[in-house]
Amino acid sequence: MHLFEQVMRPMLSTKQLHVLTDRVPKADTVEFRYWVGRYKLNLGNIQQARDLLQLAFNDCPNRSKNKRTILIYLTAASIGCGIAPRPALLSAFNLHAQFGPVLEHIKYGNGAAFERHLNAWMPWFAKFELVLVLKEKVTFMIWRTILRRVALISDPGNLSADRDVQISLKLVADALKIGYQDDSYDVDDAQMIVLCLIDQGYARGGVRHVAAMVTKLHIPPPSALTKHAAKPHSHELYHID
Amino acid sequence: MDGISAQEARAQRFSSRTSLQDRYDELSRRRREEIKRMQAASAEDAQRTLDTAVALVGTCQEYCPEFEKVERHLRNEVKRLEMRLDDETEPDYTRMVKAFARPNDINSTKLPSDVRPPPKTVDYLFHSLLPQAPSWISAQEFIFDRTRAIRQDFTIQGGSRGAIAVECHERIARFHILSLHESRIGPQPDRDWEVALREHCFIPALTTLMQYYDDFRAEGVIFPNEAEFRCYRLLLQIRDGDVGRRTQRIPSEVFASPWIQSAITLRSLLQHPTSIKSGRALSVPYAFTRLLKELKRPSTSLLMACLVDTHLMTLRKETLRAMAGSYLNISISVPTFQTLLGFNTPVEAEAFATEAGLKILTEKSPREIAINKSVAQNITPCEFPLCAVHGTIAHTVMASTLQHSQPKLERNPLGSSRSEVT
């Protein structure tokens, strides 16, 4: 992989990646974008990875076996960006058993169930080298859901109206305890998790640590954070919210 | 009277020097002959194919070849730990251990008499020398160099790889982890380049070990400690995506072991958004207090904690940046700061805050640390050296591990799993 980086550096500039001209055969373009996409995914640069894999997926002919492989990595990268494929798409490629529950656990903030699912499918995810990426990204998205759900419960209906809410960190900690079925979560953890979400732009607001409150909380949809060069096809992907 | 005794002593010193020189000349003459014989033999070997080639087998039965002993004695290159216990000016030939020499040195031709068959030297270093040494600090530099020579011996004797090679590499790797930890954040941290050198030597040692595991698995031999060392690899190079990718290709029963699963959890909590080279990463779950709780679980061994410890300062800094960016309060009390960022004492917490350029408000009780949005811009990655503040948590983990008294606990992590190694 280190060699890959050295050899490919001149070709990896963002401009080059998107301006592959018509002169290059389509099959080569798809293959190139697939591998670079996987490389970026491994590096942790999921937004670029998702863009490339989406382009590869769109260009890959439907009859090709590779389309399913591309979709596996595209789904993993998309989850990290807060975008989920439609269940119909996953079913069509026979991936619902693996990714369906993951999406559901993210939606309900069910961390404990996600851990169980990942353990049950460990050999499959390891075969595609996705365990580490999924563990990291899904954990983050579950944190986001939990915070969002707490905000919704404390002030129902107001998130959609784009009004800021105020919630107590104690509530977030309780929600984490339920989500992960783990009593070791406390107010400090809740605070750190909120800080992590705010720092990366997945939530807006301020923390009053003495009063253990989050104020002016607003959780934008994930799509507002990522500027994608490749727009998801409306019938293929939807946003996690 | 004094004059005569001084003269006698001088004469004695010179006569011993002369006899040493004679011995050296004799040994180097024999050595030259041996090299000639070797070269003649290798001329015949040139006809052979790789399949029928004969691997070099070491014949040196001591810790150090005799030629090197005399040579280093003559050049005054004997280390303190190789001197006699009763007289620290006189080298003890039974305690001398072969030093590491780069293969491109002038004397690079390796003779069978220069190479030790495996591996009583490892036992000597960890069981006899280390407990006797005046301090860990004084011994680690020495052992660091000597274990490097042991690994080199294994490489030269390509044919003698076996379970014993794996075991020696495992024990050396465990030593390296402790050494890396102490040199980064121990009571007397090393300079940056020394730390880099240690890490630079440790990574190949682990890589060799991983290759041994892969090669032996192809032959159907499985080692019980494989998961443990794969786990260390994951925790050493936390920013290297390739290490994570390769680890997932090992057989699922090894991958599912608690060692690796626990390492994956720790690794995901150790990442931070600025850790990747090109731009900021997205959706990185870092929460310092969760990491601390994860570390205090019984599934974390002492050596794992040592490795995590070496990455903590960077993560603390990232967390501080996030705190400064989203706190509405203008200050935070020192005890809270200490809990959130996992320091052992308020003094450590204050030292860290000062290093990061934060003001300490001494007029309040308990003391407070001023923290606001303007701080956020001033905290840049790697602004202050890693070893400036201790704040080590491995000792805390050790205490909690002892409480749990898990079977995993390594009372002597460097010790052999077998009672006797021959």
Side-chain angles (χ1 to χ4, degrees), chain A:
Chain A
M1 206 166 111
H2 301 298
L3 191 67
F4 180 91
E5 196 179 326
Q6 300 243 321
V7 176
M8 299 298 277
R9 193 172 293 150
M11 296 177 76
L12 287 179
S13 71
T14 328
K15 242 185 201 170
Q16 293 271 350
L17 292 177
H18 298 299
V19 196
L20 284 173
T21 56
D22 302 335
R23 277 169 292 171
V24 185
K26 207 169 217 179
D28 292 350
T29 321
V30 169
E31 191 180 352
F32 176 74
R33 284 181 176 145
Y34 164 73
W35 284 110
V36 179
R38 275 194 64 184
Y39 165 73
K40 294 274 179 188
L41 183 66
N42 229 322
L43 222 60
N45 201 337
I46 45 169
Q47 191 178 332
Q48 275 186 19
R50 206 201 77 85
D51 287 352
L52 288 160
L53 290 164
Q54 179 72 55
L55 288 171
F57 182 73
N58 292 351
D59 282 352
C60 187
N62 282 338
R63 61 181 183 280
S64 168
K65 269 193 300 186
N66 294 335
K67 196 142 179 152
R68 181 171 186 263
T69 320
I70 299 175
L71 182 64
I72 292 169
Y73 294 102
L74 175 61
T75 310
S78 299
I79 287 174
C81 295
I83 299 166
R86 288 195 182 282
L89 181 70
L90 289 176
S91 306
F93 285 91
N94 201 11
L95 290 171
H96 195 74
Q98 293 89 337
F99 285 109
V102 175
L103 295 172
E104 195 164 301
H105 300 326
I106 292 179
K107 200 171 165 186
Y108 296 111
N110 194 343
F114 166 68
E115 298 282 333
R116 282 198 299 274
H117 176 75
L118 189 66
N119 284 336
W121 283 90
M122 190 69 86
W124 191 86
F125 284 121
K127 192 176 110 192
F128 289 96
E129 299 164 357
L130 282 174
V131 178
L132 270 72
V133 172
L134 276 183
K135 180 119 182 172
E136 200 180 307
K137 305 304 171 198
V138 175
T139 306
F140 185 84
M141 294 320 286
I142 287 177
W143 289 357
R144 179 185 171 278
T145 313
I146 289 176
L147 183 65
R148 186 169 172 277
R149 297 241 153 196
V150 172
L152 270 177
I153 292 165
S154 339
D155 202 358
N158 273 357
L159 276 187
S160 54
D162 210 6
R163 253 203 346 254
D164 299 332
V165 291
Q166 173 162 331
I167 54 173
S168 123
L169 286 172
K170 175 86 177 46
L171 275 179
V172 182
D174 290 343
L176 283 163
K177 273 182 203 167
I178 298 165
Y180 276 92
Q181 311 263 307
D182 181 350
D183 283 342
S184 70
Y185 283 85
D186 58 18
V187 178
D188 288 346
D189 295 330
Q191 184 182 333
M192 282 292 153
I193 285 168
V194 171
L195 283 178
C196 169
L197 288 162
I198 294 178
D199 180 42
Q200 292 176 65
Y202 280 78
R204 284 202 292 271
V207 178
R208 292 189 188 281
H209 66 85
V210 180
M213 298 291 272
V214 193
T215 52
K216 295 185 185 171
L217 180 68
H218 172 63
I219 300 173
S223 57
L225 301 163
T226 47
K227 289 184 194 128
H228 294 290
K231 288 282 170 222
H233 283 208
S234 56
H235 62 284
E236 280 168 351
L237 299 162
Y238 69 100
H239 292 290
I240 274 175
D241 288 347

Side-chain angles (χ1 to χ4, degrees), chain B residues 157-269:
Chain B
Q157 309 176 74
S160 75
R161 293 178 335 182
I164 201 78
V166 173
E167 191 189 310
C168 287
H169 275 79
E170 283 176 350
R171 290 165 67 191
I172 292 171
R174 289 198 186 111
F175 167 77
H176 269 291
I177 295 173
L178 280 179
S179 161
L180 193 69
H181 179 254
E182 289 301 306
S183 69
R184 267 209 179 162
I185 32 195
Q188 288 176 301
D190 284 345
R191 280 153 295 194
D192 286 352
W193 64 268
E194 281 172 326
V195 176
L197 180 73
R198 273 177 218 291
E199 206 169 295
H200 199 72
C201 293
F202 180 33
I203 291 171
L206 264 186
T207 311
T208 316
L209 200 51
M210 303 294 120
Q211 284 163 354
Y212 277 149
Y213 291 140
D214 290 340
D215 292 353
F216 278 110
R217 182 168 311 102
E219 293 165 20
V221 186
I222 305 219
F223 290 95
N225 294 336
E226 178 173 354
E228 181 190 342
F229 288 89
R230 299 243 180 223
C231 146
Y232 297 150
R233 184 85 199 259
L234 278 175
L235 292 176
L236 177 71
Q237 292 163 289
I238 52 164
R239 312 255 180 277
D240 193 333
D242 205 33
V243 170
R245 193 179 64 85
R246 276 166 192 273
T247 310
Q248 299 181 49
R249 298 168 105 179
I250 58 176
S252 49
E253 63 273 13
V254 184
F255 189 71
S257 77
W259 285 97
I260 293 190
Q261 293 307 311
S262 166
I264 290 175
T265 310
L266 287 172
R267 191 179 148 111
S268 74
L269 287 168

Side-chain angles (χ1 to χ4, degrees), chain B residues 107 186 221 233 259 284 291 318 322-323 325 333-334 340 354 410 421:
Chain B
N107 291 329
V221 186
R233 184 85 199 259
W259 285 97
V284 185
L291 179 69
E318 283 298 315
M323 281 160 85
S333 73
V334 173
L340 287 179
T354 318
E410 288 145 7
V421 179

